[in-house]
Amino acid sequence: MAPEDADMYLNFYALTEKPFNPTPDPKFLYMSPAHREALAQLSYGVQERRGFMLLTGKVGTGKTTLLHALRKRLTSQTAISFVFNTTLPFDGILEYILEDLGIAKGLESRAQRLIALQHFLVDRERAGENTVLIFDEAQNLDAATLEQIRLLSNFETPTDKLLQILLVGQPELRAKLSLPELQQLKQRIGLRCQIPPLAPEEVRQYIRRRLRIAGSHDLGLFSDAAVDRLTEYSGGIPRVINMVCDHSLVFGYADQKRRIDRPIVNQAIEYLEEGASPSSQPKAVKLNGSRVRLLSRWSFGTLAVALADERAGPCPVSAPPPAPMSKFFEALEQAQQEKAARRRTVPAAPAEPVAERAPVVTKPPAPAEPVAERAPVFSKPDAPTFPQPVPRRVRRSSLEPSRGGSNETEEHLQMEEHLVSLLAPTSFEAEQYRTLRHLIEQLHKAAELQVFAVSSPTASDGKTTTAINLAGALAQSHDARVLLIDADLRVPTVGTNLGLDERPGPGLADTILNSSLTLDAVVQVRPQLNLSILPAGRLPSAPYEVLKSPRVGELLAEARKRYDYIVLDTPPLVSVPDCRVIGRWVDGFLIVVAAHKTPRKLLEEAIRVAEPAKVVGLVFNGDDRHLSRDSYASYAARQFSDGHGGGWWRGPFGTRDRRHRKHTASDD
Ligand SMILES: Nc1ncnc2c1ncn2[C@@H]1O[C@H](COP(=O)(O)OP(=O)(O)O)[C@@H](O)[C@H]1O
Ligand SMILES: [Mg+2]
C-alpha cells in the first residue's frame, strides 16, 4: 500500500497512530503474566550476573518486543550489545559487538578483538558496571558459533561473570542446545524463561491495550464475537492478532463500520489466507479501452491511484468497474477521496494571531505534499525516531525547584511525561535525544556555535518538547552549563511542561523591559537537572517589538559568558514574525518538522525565514519509520532553494556543508 494511504483509517476510528503495527515497539507492550515474569527474571538475571540466560517462545509471541523493554529497564550502568544478525560468522559477530559497544573498529585478528573486549569488560567491572550481549533469533546460530560464544563467557573474575549473555529464540533453540557438542553451553545456562501464546482473556486485554496506546476512546472497538474469532484464529500469537486486526480496521473503514464485528474479522482472515476473494476481487478492469489484469493484492493500491489520476486528467478513460471492488480497493478509494477533500478545505497556513505592529512578509504557502511522504522507507531495526508530542499527561517527578540557585524547597515538579531526557535519562527515547545532543556538541566544538533556537514551520510540531529534551540531554554532561530560554512570548509552554507555572515569577520579557532585573533575578536553577531555565515571564502585548530590543543582545552576551549552551524555544517560523528578530541573536536554528504532516512548501518557507545560513539542521519529529542514522541524514539532505539559488542542506542534525558540497544521487 502506498505510504500516503497508510493512515487511511486513523481519522475514521479517531486513532492517533496505527494500533497494530508489526514492529516490536515496547511502548505497546502488554504485560501478560508470562511477559511480566520473563521481564522480571531477565532483569534479575542480568543484575545478579547469571552469565548465560535463555528466553524462548514461538515466532511472534513478543520476544523481541520484550527485549526492547528489557533494554529500557536496564540502567545506564549496563552496556548492551543487541545482535540481530545471527547468520553472521563468529568473527563478524565479534566485530559487530565491538563496534556496537563503542570499543574499537578495524581490529584485524580475532585475538586483537578478544583482547580489546577483555580490556573493556575489566574497565567496566572496575567502574561497577555490567555488560550484556543479547542474541535475538539465536536459533539461527550454528553449533560452532554457539561454542565460540560460550567461550566469551570465560571472561570472569574469581567471583563474578564480566559478561552476561542472553540467548533468545524460537523453541528449536532449546532442541539445539541439547546437541551433544553443546553440552557445556547447556550446563552453563543460569536462567531459563519462556513466553507462551496469549490466553483468550489476555487476547482481549492485549487488543484493548494497543487501542488505548494508539489513542482510541472506544476500547470495545472489536466486538466480543470478533475477539473470540481472533483468539481462535491466531492461537494467541500477538503477531497474527496484529495482522488480522489491522486488516479488519481497513475492511471496517471500507464499509464505514464503527464497530469491528465477527464478519469483518472473517473477511480479513479470508483475505490474509487467500488474497481478495473471488466474489470481491475484480479480475480485470478496463482502462483506456484495454483490460488490465490485477496481479497481486498490492496492485490495488497502484491501480486505485492510477485510476484516480486518469479520471482527473484530460485523457478519456473508460468507466472504472462499477462493482464489485475489493475491500482494499474501496478503502484506498475512500482514503483518496478524504485526502482530496482535506486538501480542498484545510488552509495550509495555520491561523495564528500576528502581532499588530509587526511587518508580516509571509505569503500563505500553497498546499503541498507532506515532507515525509516522498521519503524512502528504510528498515534498520531500532534506529532513531522521535517521540511524538503526546497529549498532555502529567506525571509526578521527584525534582525540587529552586530560584536563583539558592532557595530550594521541598516542592516537587509536575513535569510532562514526554520530557524523557529529564525524567528517564537512561530510556530508549532519551537515547534518541542524545544523538541530537552529540551533533550539537560537535557543532559547538567545530564551529563554536553556542546559542540555538528551536523552531518549526507551524505550531504543534514538537518545538518545545524538542527544545526541553535537547537542553536536558546537553545537561546530562555534568560539566556542561546549559540555559533553556522560553522565547515564545505569545504561547509560552516551557513553564507548563516543566511544572514551573505554580510559582510564576519574572522571566525573559520582564528582564528585557526592565534592565534593572538581572539574569540572576530571572533564571531558575535546577541543580538536580544541571539545568538553568529562563521562563517567558509576563506576556507583552507586542512580542515582536520586545524581542527586537537591543537588550536581548545584551542578555545573551551575558549568558554566553556563563553558559556553554543556550537553547531557545521560539514561536513558529512561518505564521508570526518573531523568529525574524530572534534570528539576529542566535547562532543557529534547529527546525522541527512534523513527519507526515509538515508540507514541503511550508518547510521551504520556514527555512527562508530562518535564513538558510543559520539553519543547522532539521529534526523530524514523530517519524515512526525505521531509519538508520546515515540514511536518515541522507533522507533529509535535500535542496531547499532559498530563492537566490543557494542552499544545500544535510540534516536532520547535520550542518550546512559550508564548502558547497554538490548534491549527489546518493543523497536521496
Ligand atoms: N506482549 C506484547 N505486547 C504488545 N505487543 C506485542 C506483545 N507481544 C508481541 N507483540 C507484538 O507482536 C508482534 C511480534 O512481536 P515480536 O516481539 O517481534 O515477536 P518475536 O520476537 O517473539 O517473534 C509485534 O508487532 C509486537 O509489537
Ligand atoms: Mg523476534
Side-chain angles (χ1 to χ4, degrees):
M1 202 176 301
E4 65 265 32
D5 297 314
D7 62 351
M8 58 178 158
Y9 58 65
L10 295 188
N11 282 343
F12 184 70
Y13 291 114
L15 298 164
T16 50
E17 60 187 304
K18 293 184 88 183
F20 299 104
N21 263 339
T23 48
D25 183 346
K27 177 175 76 177
F28 282 98
L29 185 64
Y30 159 69
M31 288 284 211
S32 71
H35 284 92
R36 180 168 289 120
E37 173 71 16
L39 188 58
Q41 281 202 40
L42 294 175
S43 315
Y44 169 82
V46 169
Q47 275 153 23
E48 292 298 305
R49 300 180 177 240
R50 283 297 177 94
F52 269 105
M53 285 160 273
L54 180 67
L55 169 67
T56 51
K58 285 189 183 166
V59 60
T61 45
K63 300 181 294 296
T64 305
T65 312
L66 195 80
L67 293 180
H68 286 292
L70 174 70
R71 179 153 74 171
K72 277 179 80 169
R73 185 180 270 210
L74 295 175
T75 66
S76 58
Q77 258 118 48
T78 310
I80 303 172
S81 176
F82 218 129
V83 182
F84 293 96
N85 192 344
T86 41
T87 54
L88 285 174
F90 178 71
D91 283 310
I93 289 180
L94 191 56
E95 192 181 345
Y96 173 90
I97 291 170
L98 290 193
E99 201 162 335
D100 201 26
L101 290 173
I103 301 177
K105 275 188 193 176
L107 296 177
E108 297 274 305
S109 70
R110 185 185 290 185
Q112 284 174 328
R113 289 181 189 139
L114 289 172
I115 288 170
L117 179 59
Q118 184 178 19
H119 286 159
F120 175 84
L121 294 175
V122 170
D123 287 349
R124 301 284 305 188
E125 170 73 7
R126 284 202 189 113
E129 294 170 358
N130 202 348
T131 308
V132 186
L133 301 185
I134 300 177
F135 293 90
D136 199 5
E137 306 289 353
Q139 77 280 350
N140 295 334
L141 294 164
D142 58 37
T145 308
L146 279 166
E147 181 58 10
Q148 293 298 333
I149 292 173
R150 175 184 74 79
L151 293 173
L152 290 181
S153 74
N154 287 340
F155 291 125
E156 57 193 359
T157 65
T159 52
D160 261 332
K161 290 274 175 210
L162 295 182
L163 193 55
Q164 320 311 314
I165 301 176
L166 175 50
L167 299 176
V168 182
Q170 293 163 26
E172 52 266 38
L173 177 59
R174 284 180 181 246
K176 195 169 235 176
L177 292 175
S178 296
L179 291 172
E181 61 265 41
L182 292 174
Q183 282 314 295
Q184 294 209 58
L185 172 52
K186 188 176 176 187
Q187 283 168 13
R188 286 186 182 217
I189 293 176
L191 192 148
R192 291 180 163 76
C193 37
Q194 242 176 322
I195 307 185
L198 301 177
E201 175 54 22
E202 291 167 0
V203 173
R204 200 178 72 88
Q205 288 172 8
Y206 173 87
I207 293 172
R208 292 170 74 87
R209 165 152 179 98
R210 294 196 76 114
L211 286 171
R212 185 160 56 74
I213 303 295
S216 172
H217 297 299
D218 178 11
L219 301 188
L221 181 57
F222 288 75
S223 73
D224 288 348
V227 174
D228 289 346
R229 178 69 183 116
L230 269 157
T231 310
E232 179 190 277
Y233 177 75
S234 66
I237 302 284
R239 182 176 286 140
V240 181
I241 299 172
N242 283 6
M243 279 170 65
V244 179
C245 284
D246 184 64
H247 279 65
S248 300
L249 290 174
V250 173
F251 283 31
Y253 168 66
D255 285 349
Q256 299 284 289
K257 291 246 172 84
R258 294 280 168 203
R259 177 128 321 197
I260 305 296
D261 54 17
R262 192 179 176 107
I264 296 182
V265 173
N266 276 331
Q267 279 182 43
I269 291 172
E270 194 184 335
Y271 186 88
L272 280 165
E273 298 249 314
E274 294 164 23
S277 69
S279 63
S280 65
Q281 182 181 11
K283 289 281 181 251
V285 295
K286 270 187 140 190
L287 188 64
N288 277 339
S290 57
R291 287 172 78 77
V292 180
R293 190 162 288 277
L294 298 180
L295 295 176
S296 76
R297 58 185 162 137
W298 300 126
S299 322
F300 290 127
T302 324
L303 188 66
V305 177
L307 282 174
D309 290 344
E310 289 282 350
R311 272 187 246 145
C315 144
V317 181
S318 57
M325 288 198 290
S326 92
K327 291 293 177 207
F328 263 86
F329 188 96
E330 284 174 34
L332 283 163
E333 286 258 281
Q334 182 82 33
Q336 295 278 335
Q337 282 165 14
E338 281 179 14
K339 192 172 291 170
R342 276 203 299 275
R343 282 198 181 130
R344 280 195 298 274
T345 54
V346 177
E352 277 210 19
V354 172
E356 277 169 21
R357 280 191 273 156
V360 182
V361 265
T362 54
K363 61 174 185 325
E369 78 278 28
V371 173
E373 280 187 5
R374 287 226 214 120
V377 178
F378 302 91
S379 62
K380 182 177 172 200
D382 215 356
T385 57
F386 286 83
Q388 245 158 343
V390 291
R392 301 249 172 266
R393 253 182 298 155
V394 180
R395 108 174 190 183
R396 186 160 276 277
S397 88
S398 57
L399 300 166
E400 299 163 9
S402 68
R403 196 175 300 277
S406 51
N407 53 339
E408 293 199 21
T409 75
E410 285 305 308
E411 182 190 347
H412 287 249
L413 295 182
Q414 299 275 334
M415 293 211 287
E416 289 296 322
E417 202 171 49
H418 51 276
L419 301 180
V420 288
S421 292
L422 307 178
L423 290 171
T426 59
S427 66
F428 177 63
E429 288 83 359
E431 189 63 42
Q432 297 157 27
Y433 287 104
R434 269 200 290 282
T435 311
L436 180 54
R437 158 188 139 184
H438 178 69
L439 290 151
I440 293 293
E441 284 170 347
Q442 284 179 333
L443 278 176
H444 180 58
K445 275 195 210 125
E448 295 183 358
L449 302 193
Q450 195 179 359
V451 184
F452 296 90
V454 178
S455 197
S456 60
T458 61
S460 307
D461 290 340
K463 280 183 307 295
T464 305
T465 305
T466 306
I468 301 177
N469 275 314
L470 170 61
L474 287 163
Q476 280 168 22
S477 169
H478 292 301
D479 52 354
R481 298 162 304 165
V482 184
L483 174 64
L484 170 66
I485 301 181
D486 194 346
D488 186 342
L489 301 185
R490 292 168 189 270
V491 191
T493 48
V494 169
T496 322
N497 271 268
L498 288 172
L500 305 177
D501 283 357
E502 281 170 20
R503 309 175 68 209
L508 176 65
D510 305 271
T511 176
I512 297 173
L513 294 169
N514 175 0
S515 56
S516 65
L517 271 176
T518 61
L519 216 48
D520 280 333
V522 287
V523 167
Q524 302 190 24
V525 183
R526 307 283 158 207
Q528 299 92 330
L529 300 174
N530 185 33
L531 191 62
S532 298
I533 301 151
L534 174 49
R538 189 166 40 101
L539 297 192
S541 56
Y544 175 86
E545 298 299 332
V546 171
L547 290 165
K548 217 163 100 183
S549 157
R551 168 84 178 141
V552 181
E554 287 164 27
L555 285 166
L556 282 172
E558 179 62 27
R560 279 175 194 270
K561 290 185 209 149
R562 303 196 197 173
Y563 299 93
D564 302 305
Y565 298 97
I566 299 160
V567 178
L568 278 77
D569 183 27
T570 69
L573 279 152
V574 174
S575 45
V576 293
D578 305 7
C579 280
R580 293 172 193 270
V581 283
I582 290 175
R584 282 185 204 165
W585 314 119
V586 303
D587 300 332
F589 274 97
L590 267 175
I591 300 188
V592 179
V593 180
H596 310 292
K597 180 179 155 217
T598 306
R600 200 179 165 78
K601 280 243 159 63
L602 217 51
L603 175 58
E604 288 173 9
E605 180 67 24
I607 290 171
R608 264 194 292 278
V609 172
E611 290 182 13
K614 282 223 163 145
V615 179
V616 294
L618 307 180
V619 178
F620 284 85
N621 191 33
D623 195 340
D624 51 359
R625 285 163 312 164
H626 297 302
L627 303 168
S628 74
R629 197 193 298 173
D630 288 347
S631 40
Y632 203 40
S634 59
Y635 146 56
R638 301 188 185 282
Q639 184 180 13
F640 294 113
S641 162
D642 62 6
H644 306 284
W648 291 100
W649 302 99
R650 178 161 285 275
F653 322 123
T655 50
R656 176 163 187 211
D657 189 326
R658 290 167 205 280
R659 285 161 296 140
H660 299 283
R661 177 182 163 280
K662 286 279 178 235
H663 183 73
T664 65
S666 63
D667 283 344
D668 279 329

